[in-house]
Amino acid sequence: MIAEIGHFALILAFAVSLYQATVPMIGASRDWHGWMESANPAALAQFLLCGLSFAALTAAFVTSDFSLKLVYENSHTAKPMLYKVSGVWGNHEGSMLLWVLILSLFGAAAAVFGTNLPPRLRARVLAVQASIGAAFYAFIIFTSNPFLRLANPPFDGRDLNPLLQDPGLAFHPPFLYLGYVGLSMAFSFAVAALIEGRVDAAWARWVRPWTLAAWMFLTIGIALGSWWAYYELGWGGFWFWDPVENASFMPWLLAAALLHSAIVVEKREALKSWTILLAIMAFGFSLIGTFIVRSGVITSVHSFASDPERGLFILAILGAFVGGALTLYAARAGTMTAKGVFAPVSREGALVLNNVLLAVSAFVVFIGTMWPLFAEMMWDRKLSVGAPFFNKAFTPFMIVLAIVLPMGSLIPWKRARFLRAIRPLRGALIFALAIGLLVYAVSTGRSSIAVIGAGLGAWLIAGAVAELLHRTGSSGLSRLLRLPRADWGKAVAHAGLGVTFIGVGLMTAWQTEDIRVAQIGDSFDVAGYTITLQSVEQIEGPNYLSTMAAMKISQNGTEVAILHPEKRVYPVQAMPTTEAAIDNGILRDIYVVIGDAQADGGWAVRSYVKPFANWIWAGAIFMALGGLISLSDRRYRVAAGARRKSMTAVAAE
């Protein structure tokens, strides 16, 4: 009965989304206030109905209701409760229901917190948001119904993919979807502005917090996925340039560009056309990511390799919304005239360069990701584009971006004298050079990536500090503490990028790897640590069998840690997984993996010492924290004078 209620609520949410997509839009075009105002309760009703549907599906997973086909295929009675809950979105149908739930959540949030928006703009934003929801409700109901019943319910289920039975993967998809789907708000604002033919500073002020929230969640989601790949897959890497990894990275790059571009629209009323285009493309690439994951056209450990017909449905949604938005963009391009004029050497010029670097780097990732598919379709050739291509084609853009960021933050608006403007960065430059030289001194014979990563990371961190100090002037600590939170957030985010640069550069260049066959009791040295294989035993988990090793780590005769790597087998799916054991540290990780038993009685063992590995994810945390600090700035919540003036002008029309 609960499942039927969930199914009925989903159909009602679809009907409400159709109403919300049409009636407020008509009301905005006719200036019928009652019709426009109906968008608010419709958005809230849609969210509540979709939430009820999702709660019904969650209840089915928690209670192991195997009469539902989806529960039978993705759950098991012996599975821990955390993975019963995460199993709701650990499959195609359930994850799409989470997708539309988050979409309706953003629509409801816009209805609640968008009371300061002009009525016509708010009605159109909510209508566009609902039209996206209607398309995906139709996709779920007609091709991916999560509430299908089995005529003869089995006693137990097939279990969830063992790779997904991990805390990192339990929380990774919701955060990723909050970022993916959150960009729909920027898209809705862009389309609504195009319909009105009005893009101004007030519009940029309204769209920035939604974009910032989406970018922040996407940062967390990508970091959780990277962290999971690092410790769960057993290969010791943090980024594989997998197609599905790239599918989340491309919207992140474009969202970062959109954030910086919207600043120029808000401050100088320039780059209007470019900002609208970025808002369309950022969400467009989110839809491309959805297509890649669910169409089955690209094989990935992360993907739901579903049937191609579903992929065609998503492709049709992508074509309709992005194609329609771009057509509207072309029709309205002449109305988006820039008011601010600026010199190449200016804050605006630096932000333009920032946007170009981020957009082109996203395009490079797109080409590398989709080229094998294009080659197979056009020339029937199977090609593989791997890490070497991405490292060589993508990295130069990030290096230039890191160089530009601290300078662009200090250059004045409109026009500037370059050398004078960057004078406050002299200390940061000296610090960065000193760090680079120090790393060079201890990296003799190793890759130059350590020097580049550490130097650029130090430059970003010191540059962020220098910018804060420059803004305080001679006022000291009191002025520093009174700086707007947006300034603090920007500094923390830029410094976080610097921390990630340091982690990537030093870990990539300095890590040590050892692969061998070890007998129980054998000791061997890796990068100054002595590793001893003490024992290997068989243990039984709640829904798996495990081969667990005990490996003692010591340095100079002193015990550092005892690690327990595992090789698990999940009997229901007959699938093995590797569980690395890691001794985490601020300056290094010791990472050990136990492999298969050998004919001579030994065990395959892989050991790594990874300097500064945790700095990669610490930097991501700082970037997300910077976004959160900026989002808390009262200027995003309280109408400024310019905004009130713009709202009054719109209301008077």
Side-chain angles (χ1 to χ4, degrees), residues 252-504:
W252 185 88
L253 292 168
L254 291 173
L258 174 59
L259 280 174
H260 291 86
S261 182
I263 295 173
V264 182
V265 178
E266 180 184 344
K267 301 292 186 183
R268 299 287 299 152
E269 296 239 9
L271 302 186
K272 293 179 182 180
S273 296
W274 175 243
T275 304
I276 291 288
L277 182 61
L278 281 174
I280 295 171
M281 295 311 298
F283 182 60
F285 272 86
S286 293
L287 293 179
I288 289 173
T290 304
F291 169 74
I292 289 174
V293 172
R294 297 166 200 285
S295 63
V297 298
I298 293 178
T299 302
S300 165
V301 68
H302 307 79
S303 65
F304 302 110
S306 197
D307 63 88
E309 290 184 4
R310 290 174 175 173
L312 288 175
F313 200 120
I314 295 175
L315 198 59
I317 295 174
L318 170 66
F321 282 97
V322 177
L326 290 176
T327 301
L328 184 59
Y329 172 81
R332 294 288 195 180
T335 65
M336 293 180 286
T337 56
K339 296 181 179 179
V341 179
F342 55 89
V345 180
S346 62
R347 179 79 61 85
E348 297 95 325
L351 288 170
V352 168
L353 179 57
N354 162 286
N355 270 225
V356 170
L357 292 169
L358 288 169
V360 173
S361 62
F363 182 71
V364 167
V365 176
F366 175 75
I367 292 297
T369 303
M370 302 302 294
W371 188 251
L373 179 61
F374 293 150
E376 186 172 357
M377 291 174 57
M378 300 297 294
W379 304 292
D380 196 25
R381 295 181 58 190
K382 291 190 177 295
L383 300 177
S384 176
V385 178
F389 165 81
F390 290 104
N391 292 338
K392 291 179 180 179
F394 176 81
T395 303
F397 295 104
M398 292 298 100
I399 291 174
V400 178
L401 180 68
I403 294 171
V404 169
L405 270 181
M407 295 186 289
S409 298
L410 283 171
I411 295 177
W413 295 99
K414 197 170 182 180
R415 66 177 61 88
R417 294 181 180 178
F418 180 73
L419 294 178
R420 181 179 179 180
I422 66 170
R423 194 174 297 165
L425 292 172
R426 287 178 299 183
L429 179 60
I430 293 171
F431 177 74
L433 290 174
I435 294 296
L437 289 173
L438 176 63
V439 172
Y440 176 77
V442 298
S443 299
T444 305
R446 296 185 181 181
S447 171
S448 61
I449 192 172
V451 178
I452 296 172
L456 290 176
W459 168 245
L460 286 166
I461 296 169
V465 174
E467 182 191 355
L468 290 176
L469 295 177
H470 176 69
R471 292 189 182 280
T472 62
S474 58
S475 301
L477 183 62
S478 60
R479 168 62 179 160
L480 183 65
L481 296 177
R482 292 198 306 270
L483 285 176
R485 291 182 185 176
D487 290 344
W488 276 100
K490 179 177 69 173
V492 171
H494 287 182
L497 181 62
V499 172
T500 295
F501 263 79
I502 293 172
V504 171

Side-chain angles (χ1 to χ4, degrees), residues 65-375:
D65 181 2
F66 297 118
S67 67
L68 276 187
K69 180 182 178 182
L70 191 68
V71 179
Y72 163 66
E73 292 178 343
N74 295 277
S75 193
H76 192 274
T77 53
K79 191 169 62 173
M81 181 57 68
L82 173 63
Y83 306 130
K84 287 185 178 181
V85 174
S86 64
V88 177
W89 54 79
N91 56 81
H92 167 72
E93 291 83 356
S95 66
M96 286 310 306
L97 187 57
L98 177 63
W99 210 99
V100 293
L101 175 65
I102 293 173
L103 188 75
S104 65
L105 170 63
F106 274 94
V112 172
F113 298 110
T115 53
N116 58 350
L117 290 169
R120 279 182 295 177
L121 178 63
R122 181 177 60 188
R124 285 174 170 139
V125 167
L126 292 176
V128 174
Q129 190 77 0
S131 66
I132 301 170
F136 279 97
Y137 284 124
F139 174 69
I140 294 172
I141 292 170
F142 298 119
T143 73
S144 309
N145 186 358
F147 296 104
L148 292 178
R149 291 283 193 181
L150 292 174
N152 298 303
F155 179 74
D156 219 328
R158 293 180 177 177
D159 207 359
L160 181 67
N161 183 337
L163 287 175
L164 304 182
Q165 296 187 40
D166 180 86
L169 257 289
F171 300 105
H172 162 66
F175 278 105
L176 201 63
Y177 287 7
L178 282 165
Y180 264 157
V181 183
L183 291 173
S184 65
M185 285 305 302
F187 177 86
S188 296
F189 268 96
V191 173
L194 288 172
I195 293 172
E196 289 200 354
R198 186 186 187 96
V199 180
D200 54 16
W203 176 87
R205 178 69 63 87
W206 290 318
V207 81
R208 276 182 64 197
W210 298 105
T211 306
L212 184 59
W215 178 85
M216 180 183 69
F217 286 125
L218 198 52
T219 301
I220 297 172
I222 291 172
L224 282 172
S226 170
W227 180 54
W228 167 80
Y230 173 68
Y231 70 79
E232 173 67 21
L233 298 183
W235 59 287
F238 62 93
W239 195 260
F240 193 65
W241 295 107
D242 178 274
V244 179
E245 291 175 337
N246 296 345
S248 63
F249 192 41
M250 290 182 286
W252 185 88
L253 292 168
L254 291 173
L258 174 59
L259 280 174
H260 291 86
S261 182
I263 295 173
V264 182
V265 178
E266 180 184 344
K267 301 292 186 183
R268 299 287 299 152
E269 296 239 9
L271 302 186
K272 293 179 182 180
S273 296
W274 175 243
T275 304
I276 291 288
L277 182 61
L278 281 174
I280 295 171
M281 295 311 298
F283 182 60
F285 272 86
S286 293
L287 293 179
I288 289 173
T290 304
F291 169 74
I292 289 174
V293 172
R294 297 166 200 285
S295 63
V297 298
I298 293 178
T299 302
S300 165
V301 68
H302 307 79
S303 65
F304 302 110
S306 197
D307 63 88
E309 290 184 4
R310 290 174 175 173
L312 288 175
F313 200 120
I314 295 175
L315 198 59
I317 295 174
L318 170 66
F321 282 97
V322 177
L326 290 176
T327 301
L328 184 59
Y329 172 81
R332 294 288 195 180
T335 65
M336 293 180 286
T337 56
K339 296 181 179 179
V341 179
F342 55 89
V345 180
S346 62
R347 179 79 61 85
E348 297 95 325
L351 288 170
V352 168
L353 179 57
N354 162 286
N355 270 225
V356 170
L357 292 169
L358 288 169
V360 173
S361 62
F363 182 71
V364 167
V365 176
F366 175 75
I367 292 297
T369 303
M370 302 302 294
W371 188 251
L373 179 61
F374 293 150

Side-chain angles (χ1 to χ4, degrees), residues 35-58:
W35 288 39
M36 288 190 285
E37 291 299 323
S38 70
N40 290 359
L44 294 173
Q46 184 195 151
F47 171 63
L48 291 175
L49 288 167
C50 191
L52 177 60
S53 180
F54 189 82
L57 186 62
T58 302

